[in-house]
Amino acid sequence: MNLRLAFRLSTFLMAAAGHLALILTPEIPWPHALLLFALLLAAWLAETAPFRLPVSFWNWSLSLLLVGCLVYGVWFAEFFFKAGIYFVAYLAAARLFQRHAPRDYWLLFLLTLMELCGASILTINLSFLGSLLLYLAAAVVTLILFNLLGEAERAEAHGQARRLLERPWINRAFLLSSTGLTLGLFAATLAIFFLIPRVSRTFFLWSTRAHPRLSGFSETVSLGEVGKIKLDPTPVMRVKIRGDSEPREGLLWRGNAMDYYDGYSWRDTLPYTVSYYPYGTTVQVRPASPLAEQVVQEIYLEPTESAVLFTLDRAEGLFFPRPFTFTIALLTHENDYYSLPLATPIYDRLLYHVYSRPPNYSAEKLRQAWEINNTQAVRDFYAPDLQLPPGSERIAALAREVAGKRSNPYDQVIALLRFLEENFSYSLDRVQTISENPLEDFLFGDRRGHCEYYASALAIMLRSLGVPCRMIAGFQRGAWNSFEHYYLVRQSDAHTWVEVFFPGLGWLPFDPTPSSSITYAQVPTLWTLLTDRVDALRYRWDRFVVDYSLLDQIRAFQRVQSRSFQVSNRLLHLPGRVALVLRAWLGLRRLPFFPILAAAAALLLLYWARARFRSRPAGKSPLSRSREVQAALALYRRLLRLLKRLKLKRGETETALEFADRAAARLPAAQGPVLAVTELYHRVRFGERPMAPSERARAEAALRQLKKMIAGA
């Protein structure tokens, strides 16, 4: 592939990468995406068209584009920034039709770079990383070819341009060098990103407002609605438990608790309190307890319509590492769950840490809790958790029948759990309603249903027996990602269960839904491994790029400092360890350390000298090579001094060939001598070719000839 075709391809690829970065954001509708790429294709075909559109057409078109974007930004766009993005994208597309002078290419570079910057504001998705890598590769190749093409065109007058322009430039060496340069630039970009102090996530919120909120989880639970949610595989959150490298079983991510049931749906009727905390502090929501293991959860919550924060049971504290407001306002509900106020909706991915101590009591201790405190005062205090809807007599009779002669509430719970597991089957199909009470249809009719039917049946039967309990809505454990060791919780993991009160021990969870409905224990397939790897990459992108904070930087620097201290200590003690090994190996009481060190240094010096000798060009010593370069440089400096008499001075950014062209234009008769000395200087200094005595003599003659020309000018 010759130089012109390669430059044309790389230029269009760079423009396509800029368009692609914008199109992959949620703000660019598909009609605009099709139009941008249609213009890209038209610009490619227009290169060989027999006619060109006049400049006046483009001037009028761009003027209309500017007016249209201004009208759209002022009266129709949600943010004026979007109108600017459209203007830049279409301006870049139009510039592809008008590439004549070098400044046109520099403007195209600037416009495509602005497209990439705009995309970084409009999206925080992993797709931006692919667009960034593609743009970097295309831009680096385009800039290299742009410089080479300029040099070749400037050398056209010297008879070398045709050979340079027709040379197949895109070969293995060129691809390797451009790839290495791209990777180096990307590494430098990463270093700058991680080293510059982070203030917060970007203050441009268009990227987050464009994300659809999850509408599955609701703060009320109606019978039959969870079954619809469980068909949706959309991710809800990713949870990483600190220190875990293997999955845990039976985890339940607790959302909100509900105490009131009207026969069709559950809702929370108890009050809450609002507390304000300064950013950067851990919110203590419960006194710390040493009785159980503390489980630290790092939770990435996707945008949701609900403001509920999901946690494991018995949360003690919450920490928000990235500020979304100047102060943290937290709602603490009397039903033991936590949410953000309505003034702080979760329209963005929310990162927070939770410190929990899930209890683990024996069956004997649970029985004793009610034997000691089985009083009417306990039931009176928790009267809201004993509420029953009208028409529950038939369900109460069934509960008494199943409980039999068992008087301890724990035994009653176990009996009801066993009854539901043995006599009912799990199904996502809608329960057939033959009466006005859907729970009775489940218990006495179809006997098939999903989690909210099981949980509602257990809760109402326990309440009819005088056992305080409440409905909990949240999510099951989720799928374990073996690459990054976190749980991916989806909408399909939506779940409900029951919490039962035990005097002196608090509220404890009981899940009546059959365990066969949980399908996480599966043999990994190639597809699941691939999806896990992709999701792990997305997790790393969110964690270490999107949500990379100043606190993460401080921790990273502390780890680097600790590792450096460890390495320096090992290096300091290395000679002593080597001496001990040698002493034991040689069987000496005392090791002559300094003679051995001197011998090792001498061996290293000999090895270095031998390597230098082998790498020396044949027939030339480094000293003679240096003398040749100095001689060529002296000849070129004499040339510069002679041309200075004509008030011709080489610019700081001007190459030797460019300066030779300018000197020949000033004094055409001097073109031969100037080029002779310049080419010899290039060949010896940069081409590492030897300078023959005859070449030096011809250069001397050329300088004498030039001197006579200048004297007679």
Side-chain angles (χ1 to χ4, degrees):
M1 186 182 300
N2 62 50
L3 190 57
R4 291 189 185 276
L5 180 58
F7 179 60
R8 182 185 173 198
L9 280 173
S10 65
T11 301
F12 276 83
L13 182 60
M14 181 183 68
H19 290 344
L20 183 64
L22 280 180
I23 290 168
L24 291 178
T25 67
E27 290 289 342
I28 306 298
W30 65 267
H32 289 280
L34 292 179
L35 182 57
L36 285 173
F37 276 101
L39 290 173
L40 190 73
L41 179 60
W44 176 269
L45 297 176
E47 295 278 336
T48 57
F51 64 92
R52 296 293 176 91
L53 292 172
V55 177
S56 59
F57 170 82
W58 293 110
N59 292 337
W60 280 104
S61 299
L62 294 178
S63 299
L64 291 175
L65 174 65
L66 177 60
V67 172
C69 289
L70 286 174
V71 172
Y72 172 74
V74 173
W75 280 286
F76 299 101
E78 183 182 4
F79 303 103
F80 190 82
F81 177 78
K82 290 176 61 176
I85 287 294
Y86 283 132
F87 181 73
V88 169
Y90 283 110
L91 189 60
R95 183 52 56 182
L96 285 171
F97 290 89
Q98 300 174 294
R99 294 174 292 112
H100 309 299
R103 60 184 179 86
D104 296 326
Y105 287 97
W106 286 116
L107 182 58
L108 184 60
F109 290 144
L110 178 62
L111 291 173
T112 54
L113 182 60
M114 290 174 67
E115 284 185 289
L116 191 72
C117 294
S120 69
I121 296 172
L122 293 174
T123 185
I124 56 175
N125 287 331
L126 183 61
S127 59
F128 178 75
L129 178 61
S131 305
L132 174 64
L133 292 175
L134 179 62
Y135 181 83
L136 277 178
V140 166
V141 173
T142 304
L143 287 172
I144 293 174
L145 294 176
F146 178 70
N147 186 53
L148 290 175
L149 186 63
E151 288 290 335
E153 290 177 346
R154 280 189 291 269
E156 185 175 357
H158 312 319
Q160 299 177 354
R162 182 170 302 278
R163 184 182 50 167
L164 290 173
L165 293 174
E166 295 177 356
R167 176 182 170 184
W169 284 91
I170 307 302
N171 50 28
R172 182 180 179 184
F174 179 84
L175 291 176
L176 287 176
S177 60
S178 59
T179 302
L181 184 58
T182 303
L183 294 177
L185 288 175
F186 185 68
T189 304
L190 285 180
I192 293 173
F193 174 82
F194 286 108
L195 290 176
I196 292 179
R198 308 286 289 175
V199 178
S200 174
R201 183 188 280 193
T202 174
F203 54 86
F204 297 103
L205 297 178
W206 302 287
S207 59
T208 58
R209 290 175 185 260
H211 289 174
R213 300 189 202 173
L214 301 175
S215 58
F217 184 84
S218 174
E219 295 182 18
T220 63
V221 173
S222 300
L223 296 185
E225 74 173 7
V226 179
K228 302 175 185 177
I229 304 172
K230 293 182 79 67
L231 300 175
D232 186 359
T234 306
V236 175
M237 58 183 173
R238 293 169 178 84
V239 186
K240 190 168 189 175
I241 295 181
R242 187 176 298 173
D244 279 12
S245 57
E246 295 294 333
R248 303 190 185 199
E249 298 298 333
L251 295 178
L252 295 172
W253 309 110
R254 193 177 184 277
N256 59 319
M258 294 152 284
D259 59 282
Y260 185 82
Y261 179 64
D262 60 8
Y264 300 95
S265 62
W266 290 85
R267 66 177 184 270
D268 180 18
T269 62
L270 298 184
Y272 59 82
T273 58
V274 184
S275 303
Y276 296 90
Y277 304 90
Y279 161 69
T281 60
T282 299
V283 179
Q284 197 73 27
V285 296
R286 184 194 300 268
S289 171
L291 300 179
E293 171 201 8
Q294 186 184 67
V295 181
V296 182
Q297 309 129 67
E298 185 180 81
I299 300 178
Y300 285 89
L301 182 62
E302 296 289 331
T304 61
E305 289 185 349
S306 171
V308 173
L309 302 175
F310 298 96
T311 69
L312 284 182
D313 191 19
R314 302 291 177 91
E316 291 182 346
L318 295 97
F319 175 69
F320 300 90
R322 177 174 55 80
F324 48 90
T325 56
F326 292 106
T327 59
I328 300 170
L330 189 70
L331 306 186
T332 302
H333 296 257
E334 195 170 310
N335 266 328
D336 293 333
Y337 68 95
Y338 313 96
S339 64
L340 299 176
L342 295 179
T344 313
I346 303 178
Y347 57 78
D348 189 3
R349 284 196 187 106
L350 178 63
L351 169 62
Y352 61 99
H353 298 173
V354 183
Y355 306 90
S356 302
R357 293 186 189 270
N360 185 16
Y361 297 115
S362 64
E364 187 60 32
K365 189 157 188 172
L366 296 178
R367 287 192 186 93
Q368 291 175 0
W370 274 105
E371 289 174 356
I372 298 173
N373 298 291
N374 194 355
T375 63
Q376 187 61 37
V378 174
R379 291 180 170 84
D380 291 341
F381 185 80
Y382 290 97
D385 302 298
L386 292 171
Q387 173 266 337
L388 292 170
S392 302
E393 294 79 10
R394 191 178 179 190
I395 299 177
L398 176 63
R400 290 191 296 270
E401 179 185 346
V402 174
K405 297 181 180 180
R406 300 175 181 87
S407 59
N408 190 288
Y410 173 74
D411 295 325
Q412 293 172 348
V413 172
I414 299 302
L416 292 174
L417 288 172
R418 188 177 299 114
F419 168 74
L420 292 172
E421 182 179 2
E422 294 175 354
N423 297 279
F424 295 80
S425 59
Y426 185 87
S427 174
L428 290 178
D429 297 333
R430 188 176 182 86
V431 175
Q432 297 181 359
T433 55
I434 57 178
S435 68
E436 294 184 356
N437 192 330
L439 194 54
E440 285 190 359
D441 294 335
F442 168 70
L443 287 171
F444 303 105
D446 201 17
R447 293 203 168 195
R448 294 186 305 115
H450 29 83
C451 57
E452 73 268 33
Y453 285 97
Y454 280 90
S456 298
L458 177 62
I460 297 304
M461 287 193 289
L462 283 174
R463 287 184 173 191
S464 66
L465 295 174
V467 181
C469 59
R470 59 194 182 190
M471 170 76 83
I472 306 298
F475 293 91
Q476 296 176 9
R477 188 198 75 177
W480 174 254
N481 189 294
S482 57
F483 295 102
E484 287 295 329
H485 303 156
Y486 65 86
Y487 302 97
L488 174 60
V489 182
R490 304 178 183 273
Q491 290 267 51
S492 55
D493 297 312
H495 196 49
T496 56
W497 61 95
V498 175
E499 282 186 350
V500 181
F501 180 75
F502 287 83
L505 302 180
W507 296 91
L508 298 175
F510 289 90
D511 188 1
T513 306
S515 58
S516 59
S517 65
I518 304 175
T519 58
Y520 300 126
Q522 55 183 347
V523 178
T525 62
L526 181 61
W527 175 251
T528 57
L529 290 175
L530 179 61
T531 55
D532 281 356
R533 175 59 76 181
V534 172
D535 196 77
L537 183 61
R538 186 180 294 111
Y539 172 84
R540 279 186 168 268
W541 171 261
D542 290 338
R543 178 65 186 87
F544 298 109
V545 177
V546 177
D547 283 310
Y548 191 71
S549 64
L550 180 62
L551 181 61
D552 294 317
Q553 284 183 306
I554 294 173
R555 289 175 177 171
F557 285 128
Q558 288 175 344
R559 286 195 295 269
V560 170
Q561 187 180 32
S562 176
R563 293 286 178 87
S564 64
F565 284 155
Q566 293 177 4
V567 171
S568 61
N569 286 333
R570 289 178 181 176
L571 291 176
L572 286 174
H573 293 87
L574 183 61
R577 294 177 181 176
V578 172
L580 289 174
V581 172
L582 289 176
R583 213 162 68 188
W585 182 47
L586 297 174
L588 301 174
R589 292 184 178 180
R590 186 177 179 182
L591 188 68
F593 182 74
F594 287 103
I596 292 178
L597 184 62
L603 289 174
L604 288 175
L605 184 61
L606 288 173
Y607 179 79
W608 176 79
R610 183 183 179 189
R612 291 279 295 176
F613 179 78
R614 286 187 172 183
S615 62
R616 184 184 307 164
K620 288 288 180 181
S621 67
L623 184 59
S624 61
R625 169 68 188 156
S626 176
R627 288 174 177 172
E628 286 185 351
V629 171
Q630 292 297 326
L633 185 59
L635 291 171
Y636 187 68
R637 284 174 177 169
R638 287 171 59 188
L639 173 67
L640 294 179
R641 287 194 296 270
L642 288 174
L643 293 176
K644 196 173 181 180
R645 297 181 184 179
L646 297 174
K647 297 184 178 180
L648 285 171
K649 185 178 180 182
R650 180 179 169 185
E652 294 182 358
T653 60
E654 195 174 20
T655 65
L657 286 176
E658 291 173 346
F659 181 60
D661 291 341
R662 188 156 60 89
R666 179 72 174 274
L667 188 63
Q671 180 178 4
V674 171
L675 281 179
V677 177
T678 303
E679 289 178 355
L680 177 63
Y681 165 71
H682 260 276
R683 189 166 58 249
V684 175
R685 184 173 184 184
F686 303 111
E688 296 187 355
R689 294 178 59 183
M691 182 170 58
S694 59
E695 291 177 326
R696 183 168 184 173
R698 284 196 296 270
E700 295 280 0
L703 288 173
R704 288 193 295 270
Q705 181 183 358
L706 179 62
K707 186 176 181 180
K708 292 179 181 179
M709 291 180 183
I710 294 174

